[in-house]
Amino acid sequence: MKGLLIVISAPSGTGKTTLVNKLMKEIPTLEFSISCTTRKARPGEVEGKDYYFLSLENFEQKIENGELLEWAEVYGNFYGTPKDKVMEALQKGRDILLDIDTQGALQVKKNYPEAILIFILPPSLKELEYRLRKRATDDAETIEKRLIVARKEISLASKYDYMIVNDRIETAFEKLKSIITAERWKTERIKKHLNEVTSDTEILKLLES
Ligand code: ADP
Ligand code: 5GP
């Protein structure tokens, strides 16, 4: 059975990284797509684990060679998803998760309509601002910029398949997990792989009739 391509986006500061890390821990079979970026590594970030850190020249080469499933400029840097890793995971039946911005997510949906797009919303813009300040990774000017971009991103949320408000982390996490579980068991997805669903030959015959 083909794997699921799950795309998660959220305005910066919403809690996406917190949710995604929790998800990767809880579902060890879920693969995380490691993006390429031209931005500098932050302290603690590891090459090949958090991102593949590339020069602008190497990034452009990847675009030219058609190696990226999607790419976009976000906050002045380029980011892109390596195509081969995603396709390989899906073919092998593994679910893969992309943590990418709204521009990238909509490109993926266009090229791969089966992709499942999930948007994480902050409870309010006030709370978003509070979380950005609390995270303390950005200066006041950057926070201001992120809040402007957040409004643009939220206005695209209705193009996603699912919306989750990250009010309480546990509640948001349960919703996220439920979406993935439900998607795995869609009739459309499993009907060509019924022998993976049940080994009862009589039931199989009935399902296939
Ligand atoms: P993002 O990846 O969306 O930019 P982070 O996961 O880095 O966001 O979270 C931003 C800040 O908000 C962090 O300090 C995180 O601990 C906090 N946070 C995440 N989810 C919640 C929540 N549901 N309630 C309160 N604070 C949260
Ligand atoms: P950060 O620099 O904070 O790690 O990420 C900034 C933004 O870039 C986040 O919204 C993140 O989801 C997005 N991003 C990360 N990787 C990719 C990618 O491969 N493609 C696109 N389009 N966006 C990405």
Side-chain angles (χ1 to χ4, degrees), residues 16 35 39 42 51 70 72 74-75 79-81 99-101 104:
K16 181 180 55 173
S35 297
R39 97 151 151 71
R42 293 182 187 132
Y51 282 106
E70 60 72 37
V74 189
Y75 308 117
Y79 295 81
T81 304
D99 165 348
I100 61 175
D101 88 318

Side-chain angles (χ1 to χ4, degrees), residues 69 77 156 177 201:
L69 181 65
N77 293 302
L156 292 171
K177 262 195 322 188
T201 47

Side-chain angles (χ1 to χ4, degrees), residues 7 20 36 52 66 74 92 103 113 115 135 147 157 164:
V7 179
V20 167
C36 301
Y52 297 108
V74 189
K92 288 191 171 157
Q103 308 168 69
R135 191 172 62 181
L147 288 169
I164 296 175

Side-chain angles (χ1 to χ4, degrees), residues 27-162:
I27 315 179
T29 54
L30 189 59
E31 216 173 292
F32 182 75
S33 160
I34 301 161
S35 297
C36 301
T37 183
T38 60
R39 97 151 151 71
K40 299 262 173 303
R42 293 182 187 132
E45 282 186 332
V46 180
E47 161 74 21
K49 183 172 168 273
D50 297 288
Y51 282 106
Y52 297 108
F53 296 98
L54 302 181
S55 64
L56 182 59
E57 199 183 355
N58 287 345
F59 192 92
E60 284 172 341
Q61 195 62 55
K62 287 208 182 282
I63 299 176
E64 243 169 68
N65 296 346
E67 290 175 48
L68 301 179
L69 181 65
E70 60 72 37
W71 65 272
E73 189 180 346
V74 189
Y75 308 117
N77 293 302
F78 290 93
Y79 295 81
T81 304
K83 195 188 282 176
D84 54 350
K85 291 273 168 58
V86 174
M87 292 310 159
E88 190 190 320
L90 297 179
Q91 289 309 330
K92 288 191 171 157
R94 294 196 302 260
D95 300 336
I96 187 155
L97 190 147
L98 275 57
D99 165 348
I100 61 175
D101 88 318
T102 46
Q103 308 168 69
L106 297 176
Q107 282 179 59
V108 171
K109 189 74 175 177
K110 204 165 145 202
N111 299 329
Y112 194 89
E114 305 100 291
I116 302 148
L117 266 53
I118 306 173
F119 196 94
I120 318 282
L121 285 160
S124 67
L125 286 169
K126 237 189 162 64
E127 171 67 15
L128 181 64
E129 187 175 349
Y130 170 75
R131 287 184 193 171
L132 281 168
R133 291 190 198 287
K134 188 179 68 168
R135 191 172 62 181
T137 53
D138 305 302
D139 55 33
E141 193 190 329
T142 310
I143 290 179
E144 212 43 59
K145 265 195 219 155
R146 288 186 190 260
L147 288 169
I148 293 169
V149 175
R151 289 181 170 83
K152 269 194 214 150
E153 290 178 315
I154 292 171
S155 69
L156 292 171
S158 59
K159 296 192 188 298
Y160 280 59
D161 300 302
Y162 296 95

